[in-house]
Amino acid sequence: MMESAKRVAEKKDWIKGASGDWEIVIGMEVHAQVLARSKLFSGASAEFGGEPNDHVSLVDAAMPGMLPVINSFCVEQAVRTGLGLKAQINRRSVFDRKNYFYPDLPQGYQISQYKQPVVGEGQVHVDVEGRAVEVGIERLHLEQDAGKSLHDQHPNMSFVDLNRSGCALMEIVSKPDMRSAEEAKAYVTKLRQIMRYLGTCDGNMEQGSLRADINVSVRRPGAEFGTRCEIKNVNSIRFMGQAIDYEARRQIGILEDGGSIAQETRLFDARKGETRSMRSKEEAHDYRYFPDPDLLPLELEENWIAGIKAALPELPDEKIARFMKDYGLTAYDAQVLSAERASADFFEQVARGRDGKTAANWVINELFGRLNKEGKGVDTTPVSAAQLGEIVDLIAGGTISGKIAKDLFEIVWTEGGSPAAIVEARGLKQVTDTGAIEKAVMEIIAANPDKVEQVKVKPTMLGWFVGQVMKSTGGKANPQAVSDLLKVKLGF
Ligand code: ADP
Ligand code: MG
């Protein structure tokens, strides 16, 4: 397979070997379970968990004579995902049988798509620490998941749980376009984010709804591709980085010792942080692919695809661009706020009709900071968007100072209630009454004659006076008014 564009990583991404620099080349096959109520070819529940073999129809158990019936909802989700990956949607695709024997595969074959997948070439834009990287998509196809073999329940027996058998998977194959573990991690993160925005996959890696096989090879910068190894069983983004770095160093070690890489499938051992050989790479012909005679080719109408396209939600890239343009946010803030659709929506509720940057500051620094500390998400936040918006308004209108606003946020977080009413009831209002401020200013000046002398030769001491007045007014004085008045009284 060709990469999308001849790209050599930046020198800083190269790995120093004993005999010069090396570059890592990575391509990924991501399996994403379609978020659907029922399976790809049967009406059984596709829900995670349940007692073993609770969610199994006669089709999933491959009883003789049972026929698969395509779940159109799953097809729609594959098309929506394809559109989210800016990919070609194929009007005609074919389901094939991929034949192999495994106890958790009762049919003796997996229904998949081989030569004619439902989605063709596309592209994912990835931001790696401020650097833009385009990762090409080779294809996306639909296939069935297998069941699960359980070996650790009994000393000399194995069990098979078919709950997952027949669930719809989207296999998303990237081009070998990534050049570092960072890029690979950013790619999977972005893929997950796009699917979560679309609602086509929940992206839960612990439950196995998102799994990645990572193909890794190394080469001299600018040289032809080397032989690759495929790493299976990597179930977290952090582990992906570890697996790639370990595997690249292993291959470099072999090559520098004059050896060659055997194309094989390897397993990542998270405990040891190593990859180890599992089996030599199987070839396509080993699977004896052929079109499944029980299923007609999948034919999609142009209108149907156009309708789906028109109804797609705004996706992360567009949202980030709009946040930067409409609210004047930095790329970084726009990305943080857009990480999840729910957090972006929350921000927009706070920002609507207000200053975008102030709203972003409050959402990111105060709210997200606090939520992270408590292990909560925006869906369970004790401070609603309306309440946070009200706090921002109270600052903007000069009713409270920024310092009091933080205290107010704490009160709303722990006790709830209307921020404006709390300010009223607890006397948190900023003192704008010049008489009261003047009184406090004069008291501080009278009590500190030595400092008054010092500030005359060292004007930066003014800050100390402002601080003292703020303290004596319980943080409620308007700092600008205090500073202005001090300047007059101290004869600046
Ligand atoms: P196969 O048909 O053997 O599964 P594919 O051509 O479908 O191989 O590629 C599978 C994955 O391996 C793709 O994600 C692709 O980007 C990646 N890949 C292909 N060649 C290389 C290579 N030399 N180094 C790293 N990854 C590669
Ligand atoms: Mg492949």
Side-chain angles (χ1 to χ4, degrees):
M1 184 194 297
M2 292 295 296
E3 75 242 76
S4 318
K6 273 250 178 275
R7 188 166 78 86
V8 175
E10 286 173 34
K11 212 169 163 70
K12 70 171 182 58
D13 288 330
W14 295 351
I15 296 182
K16 276 239 168 310
S19 64
D21 293 324
W22 293 91
E23 185 188 26
I24 314 181
V25 173
I26 305 153
M28 299 236 223
E29 294 159 285
V30 168
H31 289 92
Q33 185 176 333
V34 176
L35 194 56
R37 274 207 297 273
S38 50
K39 297 184 178 181
L40 184 55
F41 298 113
S42 86
S45 169
E47 209 185 313
F48 177 81
E51 287 298 306
N53 299 308
D54 250 8
H55 305 156
V56 185
S57 75
L58 296 173
V59 175
D60 311 317
M63 288 298 151
M66 290 297 119
L67 289 173
V69 177
I70 185 87
N71 179 340
S72 66
F73 179 81
C74 293
V75 175
E76 185 176 337
Q77 302 319 302
V79 169
R80 295 180 71 232
T81 305
L83 292 169
L85 304 178
K86 314 267 180 285
Q88 169 71 38
I89 306 301
N90 293 327
R91 297 275 307 278
R92 185 175 197 277
S93 64
V94 173
F95 286 102
D96 296 284
R97 290 186 181 180
K98 180 178 180 179
N99 299 277
Y100 62 95
F101 171 79
Y102 215 76
D104 57 26
L105 186 76
Q107 284 171 159
Y109 57 84
Q110 175 193 33
I111 305 179
S112 181
Q113 297 190 301
Y114 181 48
K115 291 245 164 84
Q116 292 174 266
V118 62
V119 176
E121 292 192 343
Q123 200 160 62
V124 175
H125 173 87
V126 179
D127 185 286
V128 190
E129 289 150 3
R131 190 162 45 92
V133 176
E134 300 297 327
V135 177
I137 297 296
E138 175 73 14
R139 59 187 281 155
L140 176 157
H141 67 250
L142 274 168
E143 63 185 28
Q144 301 175 296
D145 205 346
K148 212 162 67 181
S149 298
L150 307 164
H151 304 295
D152 50 9
Q153 316 272 309
H154 191 277
N156 49 19
M157 271 198 272
S158 284
F159 297 89
V160 173
D161 175 6
L162 294 179
N163 281 351
R164 227 173 54 186
S165 162
C167 283
L169 296 180
M170 299 180 278
E171 178 171 333
I172 304 167
V173 183
S174 86
K175 300 206 178 249
D177 283 353
M178 289 154 275
R179 296 291 176 267
S180 67
E182 287 313 312
E183 290 185 11
K185 280 157 57 176
Y187 165 73
V188 176
T189 305
K190 186 64 177 277
L191 211 55
R192 181 175 181 276
Q193 184 191 27
I194 292 171
M195 290 190 286
R196 284 177 57 84
Y197 262 64
L198 291 165
T200 56
C201 172
D202 65 21
N204 190 328
M205 299 187 76
E206 279 137 64
Q207 294 183 356
S209 332
L210 190 74
R211 324 195 277 271
D213 297 342
I214 313 168
N215 294 270
V216 179
S217 65
V218 297
R219 65 173 175 184
R220 295 293 188 187
E224 293 299 305
F225 284 155
T227 302
R228 69 181 197 264
C229 287
E230 180 176 351
I231 313 168
K232 295 217 179 263
N233 205 28
V234 191
N235 61 1
S236 87
I237 289 180
R238 191 165 59 88
F239 289 158
M240 278 176 200
Q242 290 177 10
I244 290 167
D245 285 331
Y246 176 89
E247 179 58 19
R249 292 198 174 275
R250 186 189 72 86
Q251 293 183 14
I252 291 169
I254 294 174
L255 293 170
E256 293 205 322
D257 284 346
S260 58
I261 306 301
Q263 188 169 339
E264 61 182 0
T265 302
R266 300 179 67 84
L267 270 182
F268 178 66
D269 181 335
R271 216 167 32 80
K272 294 195 182 139
E274 296 173 1
T275 65
R276 62 164 188 271
S277 184
M278 184 170 129
R279 57 172 187 251
S280 69
K281 169 83 182 158
E282 64 289 333
E283 299 291 337
H285 62 248
D286 295 333
Y287 291 120
R288 296 186 296 114
Y289 278 102
F290 64 86
D292 192 311
D294 291 340
L295 289 158
L296 290 168
L298 191 60
E299 309 238 1
L300 307 179
E301 279 169 25
E302 201 69 61
N303 279 344
W304 185 74
I305 300 169
I308 290 175
K309 190 168 185 177
L312 286 184
E314 181 180 45
L315 290 170
D317 290 343
E318 290 119 50
K319 207 180 274 295
I320 290 165
R322 185 168 63 78
F323 279 8
M324 289 170 71
K325 183 167 160 288
D326 289 2
Y327 298 108
L329 303 187
T330 61
Y332 181 80
D333 284 355
Q335 275 171 24
V336 170
L337 292 167
S338 305
E340 295 280 346
R341 217 167 136 175
S343 55
D345 289 348
F346 187 97
F347 161 71
E348 286 213 87
Q349 284 176 47
V350 179
R352 200 160 294 133
R354 303 193 174 96
D355 177 57
K357 280 187 182 163
T358 313
N361 270 337
W362 275 85
V363 172
I364 295 173
N365 299 325
E366 300 306 318
L367 184 72
F368 288 1
R370 192 63 206 269
L371 288 171
N372 281 343
K373 217 157 70 192
E374 311 262 325
K376 284 184 155 61
V378 276
D379 50 335
T380 54
T381 171
V383 178
S384 70
Q387 286 168 316
L388 196 55
E390 213 176 305
I391 295 176
V392 172
D393 286 343
L394 290 166
I395 309 167
T399 310
I400 55 173
S401 65
K403 158 135 194 356
I404 291 289
K406 293 191 182 185
D407 299 341
L408 177 61
F409 177 84
E410 266 314 302
I411 299 171
V412 177
W413 178 282
T414 44
E415 299 172 25
S418 149
I422 293 169
V423 166
E424 200 58 53
R426 308 204 184 179
L428 299 176
K429 265 201 179 139
Q430 181 158 257
V431 179
T432 43
D433 165 7
T434 40
I437 296 178
E438 185 165 352
K439 185 164 167 285
V441 165
M442 294 320 287
E443 277 169 13
I444 297 295
I445 289 178
N448 298 281
D450 52 329
K451 295 274 193 321
V452 173
E453 283 313 305
Q454 287 171 24
V455 76
K456 290 192 172 139
V457 286
K458 204 177 157 216
T460 49
M461 280 274 302
L462 187 69
W464 181 85
F465 280 92
V466 175
Q468 293 303 304
V469 178
M470 292 305 289
K471 208 157 141 191
S472 80
T473 55
K476 288 185 286 179
N478 178 323
Q480 193 55 50
V482 171
S483 175
D484 291 346
L485 197 63
L486 272 165
K487 280 184 189 158
V488 172
K489 297 293 175 190
L490 292 168
F492 268 59

